[in-house]
Amino acid sequence: GESFWGFCMHGGASGGGMGFIFNPDVKEEAVHVLGDIMLQTKKEMEHAVPFAMDPCVFDYKVNDYGTVAQLCDRNDLPELLQHGTKSTNGQLSPSTQLNLDDLLREQGFDMTAQEQIRADLKDGRIGLAKNRLSLDCEVKDVIADDVIVVDEDSI
């Protein structure tokens, strides 16, 4: 209805998504309804179309600043990165310093899968160029003989 303000497709080398824009007054309800609709649609279509995962609905905001970084000292580190106690001089002791590999593992990062994707990208097996139709592909309008109507009576 009038509370639905728009839709946009997002895409990239590793997949894509859909953006739905709603009136903020109905956003809370829209998030739940939209999630239910997308999951039901997946269940109805997964026998014909491959899905990598169940659809998910999340909220995001536009970052007007792009990618930014802030230089800080150890005392400014977020709690997530401070997995230990500080020594008497205020520095993290070597035994409690966060190991990047441990952090990645805690967050579910799959290094084997990452390395396979990296190798596939470098070797040209995957990437944006692979998402395009070949130059010799002929695109034609659909004709009636190309369509098969499937409904309750035809199953």
Side-chain angles (χ1 to χ4, degrees):
E2 291 186 20
S3 294
F4 174 68
W5 288 357
F7 167 83
C8 59
M9 289 296 300
H10 305 276
S14 62
M18 299 174 282
F20 295 89
I21 305 165
F22 291 93
N23 178 331
D25 296 336
V26 301
K27 181 187 144 216
E28 187 86 21
E29 178 186 4
V31 165
H32 296 292
V33 171
L34 184 60
D36 291 343
I37 290 170
M38 291 192 321
L39 185 58
Q40 181 62 36
T41 302
K42 177 200 178 242
K43 288 178 181 177
E44 291 173 4
M45 299 184 71
E46 64 188 346
H47 67 283
V49 179
F51 285 81
M53 58 182 270
D54 281 349
C56 61
V57 178
F58 58 92
D59 189 17
Y60 68 92
K61 296 179 180 169
V62 174
N63 173 2
D64 294 326
Y65 305 106
T67 302
V68 296
Q70 180 179 359
L71 182 61
C72 28
D73 64 29
R74 288 188 185 268
N75 295 323
D76 295 329
L77 288 175
E79 283 186 41
L80 172 66
L81 298 177
Q82 294 185 10
H83 280 206
T85 57
K86 292 182 181 176
S87 64
T88 54
N89 66 3
Q91 298 295 314
L92 290 175
S93 64
S95 63
T96 59
Q97 282 186 357
L98 178 66
N99 177 309
L100 178 59
D101 291 335
D102 291 340
L103 177 62
L104 291 172
R105 201 170 11 266
E106 284 177 24
Q107 300 302 315
F109 184 78
D110 184 339
M111 184 59 78
T112 303
Q114 177 66 23
E115 291 303 323
Q116 181 63 53
I117 291 169
R118 182 184 310 205
D120 289 347
L121 279 167
K122 282 183 166 183
D123 293 340
R125 289 187 292 271
I126 61 173
L128 285 176
K130 298 292 184 185
N131 290 339
R132 292 175 171 49
L133 296 173
S134 63
L135 293 177
D136 61 347
C137 180
E138 187 176 348
V139 179
K140 296 180 180 180
D141 288 337
V142 175
I143 59 173
D145 290 343
D146 294 330
V147 178
I148 300 171
V149 177
V150 178
D151 59 19
E152 294 290 326
D153 298 330
S154 62
I155 298 177

